[in-house]
PDB file of all heavy atoms in Angstrom:
ATOM      1  N   ALA Z 201      85.950  70.251 135.625  1.00  0.00           N
ATOM      2  CA  ALA Z 201      84.747  70.960 136.189  1.00  0.00           C
ATOM      3  C   ALA Z 201      83.726  70.026 136.867  1.00  0.00           C
ATOM      4  O   ALA Z 201      83.151  70.253 137.874  1.00  0.00           O
ATOM      5  CB  ALA Z 201      84.152  71.801 135.101  1.00  0.00           C
ATOM      6  N   PHE Z 202      83.493  69.010 136.036  1.00  0.00           N
ATOM      7  CA  PHE Z 202      82.488  67.998 136.662  1.00  0.00           C
ATOM      8  C   PHE Z 202      82.936  67.336 137.999  1.00  0.00           C
ATOM      9  O   PHE Z 202      82.163  67.229 138.897  1.00  0.00           O
ATOM     10  CB  PHE Z 202      82.287  66.867 135.576  1.00  0.00           C
ATOM     11  CG  PHE Z 202      81.054  67.051 134.759  1.00  0.00           C
ATOM     12  CD1 PHE Z 202      80.941  68.141 133.926  1.00  0.00           C
ATOM     13  CD2 PHE Z 202      80.045  66.135 134.695  1.00  0.00           C
ATOM     14  CE1 PHE Z 202      79.768  68.349 133.142  1.00  0.00           C
ATOM     15  CE2 PHE Z 202      78.976  66.191 133.904  1.00  0.00           C
ATOM     16  CZ  PHE Z 202      78.715  67.399 133.180  1.00  0.00           C
ATOM     17  N   VAL Z 203      84.203  66.952 138.008  1.00  0.00           N
ATOM     18  CA  VAL Z 203      84.689  66.367 139.214  1.00  0.00           C
ATOM     19  C   VAL Z 203      84.741  67.301 140.489  1.00  0.00           C
ATOM     20  O   VAL Z 203      84.356  66.995 141.572  1.00  0.00           O
ATOM     21  CB  VAL Z 203      86.031  65.564 139.065  1.00  0.00           C
ATOM     22  CG1 VAL Z 203      87.231  66.593 138.860  1.00  0.00           C
ATOM     23  CG2 VAL Z 203      86.316  64.703 140.212  1.00  0.00           C
ATOM     24  N   THR Z 204      85.029  68.496 140.149  1.00  0.00           N
ATOM     25  CA  THR Z 204      85.093  69.586 141.203  1.00  0.00           C
ATOM     26  C   THR Z 204      83.664  69.932 141.661  1.00  0.00           C
ATOM     27  O   THR Z 204      83.418  70.033 142.778  1.00  0.00           O
ATOM     28  CB  THR Z 204      85.708  70.899 140.644  1.00  0.00           C
ATOM     29  OG1 THR Z 204      87.112  70.593 140.193  1.00  0.00           O
ATOM     30  CG2 THR Z 204      85.785  72.064 141.682  1.00  0.00           C
ATOM     31  N   LEU Z 205      82.765  70.082 140.614  1.00  0.00           N
ATOM     32  CA  LEU Z 205      81.364  70.324 140.979  1.00  0.00           C
ATOM     33  C   LEU Z 205      80.732  69.190 141.831  1.00  0.00           C
ATOM     34  O   LEU Z 205      80.053  69.305 142.813  1.00  0.00           O
ATOM     35  CB  LEU Z 205      80.530  70.568 139.788  1.00  0.00           C
ATOM     36  CG  LEU Z 205      79.039  70.908 139.968  1.00  0.00           C
ATOM     37  CD1 LEU Z 205      78.921  72.210 140.832  1.00  0.00           C
ATOM     38  CD2 LEU Z 205      78.334  71.114 138.687  1.00  0.00           C
ATOM     39  N   TRP Z 206      81.005  67.946 141.464  1.00  0.00           N
ATOM     40  CA  TRP Z 206      80.570  66.749 142.164  1.00  0.00           C
ATOM     41  C   TRP Z 206      80.925  66.838 143.670  1.00  0.00           C
ATOM     42  O   TRP Z 206      80.251  66.779 144.568  1.00  0.00           O
ATOM     43  CB  TRP Z 206      81.014  65.524 141.565  1.00  0.00           C
ATOM     44  CG  TRP Z 206      80.754  64.297 142.263  1.00  0.00           C
ATOM     45  CD1 TRP Z 206      79.608  64.037 142.899  1.00  0.00           C
ATOM     46  CD2 TRP Z 206      81.480  63.029 142.417  1.00  0.00           C
ATOM     47  NE1 TRP Z 206      79.639  62.671 143.466  1.00  0.00           N
ATOM     48  CE2 TRP Z 206      80.754  62.120 143.108  1.00  0.00           C
ATOM     49  CE3 TRP Z 206      82.791  62.731 141.841  1.00  0.00           C
ATOM     50  CZ2 TRP Z 206      81.320  60.809 143.431  1.00  0.00           C
ATOM     51  CZ3 TRP Z 206      83.247  61.397 142.074  1.00  0.00           C
ATOM     52  CH2 TRP Z 206      82.592  60.483 142.847  1.00  0.00           C
ATOM     53  N   CYS Z 207      82.273  67.107 143.881  1.00  0.00           N
ATOM     54  CA  CYS Z 207      82.816  67.027 145.210  1.00  0.00           C
ATOM     55  C   CYS Z 207      82.375  68.227 146.112  1.00  0.00           C
ATOM     56  O   CYS Z 207      82.194  68.176 147.195  1.00  0.00           O
ATOM     57  CB  CYS Z 207      84.319  67.012 145.189  1.00  0.00           C
ATOM     58  SG  CYS Z 207      84.960  65.493 144.545  1.00  0.00           S
ATOM     59  N   HIS Z 208      82.207  69.326 145.301  1.00  0.00           N
ATOM     60  CA  HIS Z 208      81.659  70.547 146.046  1.00  0.00           C
ATOM     61  C   HIS Z 208      80.155  70.560 146.327  1.00  0.00           C
ATOM     62  O   HIS Z 208      79.752  70.899 147.463  1.00  0.00           O
ATOM     63  CB  HIS Z 208      81.981  71.776 145.160  1.00  0.00           C
ATOM     64  CG  HIS Z 208      81.468  73.109 145.723  1.00  0.00           C
ATOM     65  ND1 HIS Z 208      82.126  73.667 146.846  1.00  0.00           N
ATOM     66  CD2 HIS Z 208      80.362  73.937 145.468  1.00  0.00           C
ATOM     67  CE1 HIS Z 208      81.392  74.833 147.196  1.00  0.00           C
ATOM     68  NE2 HIS Z 208      80.405  75.022 146.339  1.00  0.00           N
ATOM     69  N   HIS Z 209      79.394  70.139 145.384  1.00  0.00           N
ATOM     70  CA  HIS Z 209      77.946  70.246 145.480  1.00  0.00           C
ATOM     71  C   HIS Z 209      77.410  69.111 146.407  1.00  0.00           C
ATOM     72  O   HIS Z 209      76.491  69.181 147.219  1.00  0.00           O
ATOM     73  CB  HIS Z 209      77.266  70.289 144.140  1.00  0.00           C
ATOM     74  CG  HIS Z 209      75.817  70.322 144.210  1.00  0.00           C
ATOM     75  ND1 HIS Z 209      75.154  71.466 144.603  1.00  0.00           N
ATOM     76  CD2 HIS Z 209      74.799  69.399 143.951  1.00  0.00           C
ATOM     77  CE1 HIS Z 209      73.836  71.267 144.623  1.00  0.00           C
ATOM     78  NE2 HIS Z 209      73.621  70.096 144.143  1.00  0.00           N
ATOM     79  N   TRP Z 210      77.849  67.823 145.999  1.00  0.00           N
ATOM     80  CA  TRP Z 210      77.273  66.646 146.624  1.00  0.00           C
ATOM     81  C   TRP Z 210      78.148  66.096 147.806  1.00  0.00           C
ATOM     82  O   TRP Z 210      77.630  65.441 148.795  1.00  0.00           O
ATOM     83  CB  TRP Z 210      77.040  65.588 145.553  1.00  0.00           C
ATOM     84  CG  TRP Z 210      75.822  65.673 144.838  1.00  0.00           C
ATOM     85  CD1 TRP Z 210      74.581  65.479 145.297  1.00  0.00           C
ATOM     86  CD2 TRP Z 210      75.704  66.138 143.462  1.00  0.00           C
ATOM     87  NE1 TRP Z 210      73.619  65.797 144.248  1.00  0.00           N
ATOM     88  CE2 TRP Z 210      74.365  66.155 143.197  1.00  0.00           C
ATOM     89  CE3 TRP Z 210      76.666  66.410 142.477  1.00  0.00           C
ATOM     90  CZ2 TRP Z 210      73.841  66.467 141.903  1.00  0.00           C
ATOM     91  CZ3 TRP Z 210      76.150  66.830 141.203  1.00  0.00           C
ATOM     92  CH2 TRP Z 210      74.773  66.818 140.926  1.00  0.00           C
ATOM     93  N   ARG Z 211      79.441  66.301 147.794  1.00  0.00           N
ATOM     94  CA  ARG Z 211      80.325  65.723 148.753  1.00  0.00           C
ATOM     95  C   ARG Z 211      80.787  66.752 149.938  1.00  0.00           C
ATOM     96  O   ARG Z 211      81.638  66.292 150.715  1.00  0.00           O
ATOM     97  CB  ARG Z 211      81.434  65.091 148.107  1.00  0.00           C
ATOM     98  CG  ARG Z 211      81.198  63.962 147.182  1.00  0.00           C
ATOM     99  CD  ARG Z 211      80.786  62.723 147.794  1.00  0.00           C
ATOM    100  NE  ARG Z 211      79.242  62.562 147.805  1.00  0.00           N
ATOM    101  CZ  ARG Z 211      78.548  62.098 148.882  1.00  0.00           C
ATOM    102  NH1 ARG Z 211      79.114  61.948 150.035  1.00  0.00           N
ATOM    103  NH2 ARG Z 211      77.261  61.963 148.651  1.00  0.00           N
ATOM    104  N   GLY Z 212      80.350  67.926 149.874  1.00  0.00           N
ATOM    105  CA  GLY Z 212      80.568  68.902 150.966  1.00  0.00           C
ATOM    106  C   GLY Z 212      81.676  69.783 150.891  1.00  0.00           C
ATOM    107  O   GLY Z 212      82.047  70.629 151.770  1.00  0.00           O
ATOM    108  N   GLY Z 213      82.418  69.887 149.686  1.00  0.00           N
ATOM    109  CA  GLY Z 213      83.446  70.838 149.461  1.00  0.00           C
ATOM    110  C   GLY Z 213      84.896  70.353 149.868  1.00  0.00           C
ATOM    111  O   GLY Z 213      85.117  69.117 149.858  1.00  0.00           O
ATOM    112  N   PHE Z 214      85.753  71.185 150.266  1.00  0.00           N
ATOM    113  CA  PHE Z 214      87.151  70.790 150.357  1.00  0.00           C
ATOM    114  C   PHE Z 214      87.721  71.488 151.682  1.00  0.00           C
ATOM    115  O   PHE Z 214      87.479  72.522 152.141  1.00  0.00           O
ATOM    116  CB  PHE Z 214      87.945  71.480 149.204  1.00  0.00           C
ATOM    117  CG  PHE Z 214      87.445  71.055 147.867  1.00  0.00           C
ATOM    118  CD1 PHE Z 214      86.513  71.782 147.118  1.00  0.00           C
ATOM    119  CD2 PHE Z 214      87.766  69.719 147.337  1.00  0.00           C
ATOM    120  CE1 PHE Z 214      86.027  71.211 145.887  1.00  0.00           C
ATOM    121  CE2 PHE Z 214      87.396  69.387 146.128  1.00  0.00           C
ATOM    122  CZ  PHE Z 214      86.414  70.119 145.340  1.00  0.00           C
ATOM    123  N   SER Z 215      88.591  70.683 152.242  1.00  0.00           N
ATOM    124  CA  SER Z 215      89.447  71.091 153.379  1.00  0.00           C
ATOM    125  C   SER Z 215      90.699  70.281 153.518  1.00  0.00           C
ATOM    126  O   SER Z 215      90.866  69.546 152.621  1.00  0.00           O
ATOM    127  CB  SER Z 215      88.706  70.996 154.664  1.00  0.00           C
ATOM    128  OG  SER Z 215      88.470  69.581 155.056  1.00  0.00           O
ATOM    129  N   TRP Z 216      91.490  70.533 154.372  1.00  0.00           N
ATOM    130  CA  TRP Z 216      92.706  69.714 154.668  1.00  0.00           C
ATOM    131  C   TRP Z 216      92.864  69.422 156.213  1.00  0.00           C
ATOM    132  O   TRP Z 216      93.841  69.617 156.698  1.00  0.00           O
ATOM    133  CB  TRP Z 216      94.057  70.276 154.038  1.00  0.00           C
ATOM    134  CG  TRP Z 216      95.033  69.273 153.780  1.00  0.00           C
ATOM    135  CD1 TRP Z 216      95.925  68.742 154.656  1.00  0.00           C
ATOM    136  CD2 TRP Z 216      95.188  68.620 152.510  1.00  0.00           C
ATOM    137  NE1 TRP Z 216      96.675  67.803 153.985  1.00  0.00           N
ATOM    138  CE2 TRP Z 216      96.277  67.691 152.708  1.00  0.00           C
ATOM    139  CE3 TRP Z 216      94.624  68.759 151.308  1.00  0.00           C
ATOM    140  CZ2 TRP Z 216      96.757  66.908 151.621  1.00  0.00           C
ATOM    141  CZ3 TRP Z 216      95.095  67.925 150.230  1.00  0.00           C
ATOM    142  CH2 TRP Z 216      96.103  67.013 150.400  1.00  0.00           C
ATOM    143  N   ASP Z 217      91.725  68.832 156.757  1.00  0.00           N
ATOM    144  CA  ASP Z 217      91.784  68.648 158.121  1.00  0.00           C
ATOM    145  C   ASP Z 217      91.486  67.139 158.470  1.00  0.00           C
ATOM    146  O   ASP Z 217      91.256  66.741 159.615  1.00  0.00           O
ATOM    147  CB  ASP Z 217      90.687  69.393 158.812  1.00  0.00           C
ATOM    148  CG  ASP Z 217      89.193  69.243 158.245  1.00  0.00           C
ATOM    149  OD1 ASP Z 217      89.137  68.390 157.358  1.00  0.00           O
ATOM    150  OD2 ASP Z 217      88.322  69.952 158.621  1.00  0.00           O
ATOM    151  N   GLY Z 218      91.689  66.227 157.498  1.00  0.00           N
ATOM    152  CA  GLY Z 218      91.495  64.796 157.666  1.00  0.00           C
ATOM    153  C   GLY Z 218      90.121  64.326 157.611  1.00  0.00           C
ATOM    154  O   GLY Z 218      89.843  63.124 157.746  1.00  0.00           O
ATOM    155  N   THR Z 219      89.010  65.191 157.370  1.00  0.00           N
ATOM    156  CA  THR Z 219      87.784  64.815 157.292  1.00  0.00           C
ATOM    157  C   THR Z 219      87.372  64.403 155.963  1.00  0.00           C
ATOM    158  O   THR Z 219      88.195  64.275 155.016  1.00  0.00           O
ATOM    159  CB  THR Z 219      86.733  65.860 157.827  1.00  0.00           C
ATOM    160  OG1 THR Z 219      86.944  67.067 156.829  1.00  0.00           O
ATOM    161  CG2 THR Z 219      87.099  66.342 159.244  1.00  0.00           C
ATOM    162  N   THR Z 220      86.058  64.176 155.670  1.00  0.00           N
ATOM    163  CA  THR Z 220      85.669  63.639 154.292  1.00  0.00           C
ATOM    164  C   THR Z 220      85.912  64.648 153.309  1.00  0.00           C
ATOM    165  O   THR Z 220      86.209  64.366 152.084  1.00  0.00           O
ATOM    166  CB  THR Z 220      84.112  63.396 154.329  1.00  0.00           C
ATOM    167  OG1 THR Z 220      83.821  62.504 155.481  1.00  0.00           O
ATOM    168  CG2 THR Z 220      83.555  62.919 153.091  1.00  0.00           C
TER     169      THR Z 220
END
Side-chain angles (χ1 to χ4, degrees):
F202 261 58
V203 70
T204 304
L205 182 58
W206 176 35
C207 292
H208 176 76
H209 181 71
W210 278 287
R211 298 288 101 223
F214 303 94
S215 71
W216 204 275
D217 56 5
T219 63
T220 303

